[in-house]
Amino acid sequence: MKNTWLFIILALFVQEPTTTDAAIFQVRQLHINLFLINFIWFVATVFDIWFGYKIGQWVQRRFQNTKFGGWSFKWAGRVESFIGRKGEKFALILLGIINFPYVNSFLASWSKISFKNIFTLIFIGDAIYWSIAWGINICNQQHFSLLSI
């Protein structure tokens, strides 16, 4: 059981789709408390967003006066001018659905959006992903149980 918990916790922190779906499947098969799993997901997502943002800020400070630093700030400005402020916010929600929260917050740290808004938008997107993952898992399990009848 210890290995199962280790797998579930690591899967929820990494939030890679296949392992996350496998973790949800394990949770449902072993009848683990759903409140506890959702709480672990919440803590993992909050940590991932915060960690990615802090690493992004550190990289910006560390490489500020380098060629990479100049290129990254120029790139961030181009993206912002291309899609605009509202498009940037929509993109953060969309990225939250299809990408890892720590990568999204790392990339978003270059934008001029506040951390509070970055956190909220990425969290909304990741919550949509989490809901989709649960929905797919529940539907698959019901589908396979119907096939075995």
Side-chain angles (χ1 to χ4, degrees):
M1 189 68 159
K2 186 169 78 170
N3 289 339
T4 301
W5 275 106
L6 182 63
F7 169 70
I8 290 169
I9 290 170
L10 287 175
L12 294 181
F13 271 92
V14 174
Q15 295 195 18
E16 186 273 326
T18 305
T19 54
T20 302
D21 290 342
I24 292 171
F25 185 76
Q26 280 286 74
V27 164
R28 291 180 47 85
Q29 289 295 343
L30 299 174
H31 304 290
I32 296 174
N33 185 338
L34 298 181
F35 176 77
L36 179 60
I37 296 305
N38 286 310
F39 179 74
I40 293 170
W41 169 82
F42 176 81
V43 170
T45 303
V46 168
F47 176 79
D48 285 350
I49 294 170
W50 173 83
F51 183 74
Y53 187 81
K54 290 300 179 185
I55 293 295
Q57 286 184 325
W58 177 82
V59 167
Q60 289 174 42
R61 283 191 309 274
R62 174 75 172 89
F63 298 103
Q64 186 174 18
N65 298 322
T66 66
K67 201 173 195 177
F68 171 75
W71 175 83
S72 62
F73 282 109
K74 187 177 5 174
W75 176 81
R78 285 183 184 164
V79 168
E80 186 176 11
S81 66
F82 178 72
I83 63 176
R85 183 69 74 188
K86 291 190 187 301
E88 200 170 31
K89 290 178 179 180
F90 177 73
L92 284 176
I93 292 174
L94 186 61
L95 281 174
I97 297 170
I98 61 175
N99 204 357
F100 310 109
Y102 44 88
V103 173
N104 299 335
S105 58
F106 176 84
L107 295 173
S109 68
W110 269 273
S111 72
K112 294 176 184 164
I113 301 174
S114 69
F115 175 71
K116 178 182 162 189
N117 286 340
I118 288 171
F119 177 86
T120 304
L121 296 168
I122 292 173
F123 189 84
I124 288 170
D126 207 53
I128 292 169
Y129 160 74
W130 183 244
S131 302
I132 291 169
W134 270 99
I136 290 170
N137 193 280
I138 290 168
C139 290
N140 280 342
Q141 192 168 22
Q142 288 175 348
H143 176 72
F144 289 124
S145 66
L146 288 174
L147 288 176
S148 66
I149 293 177

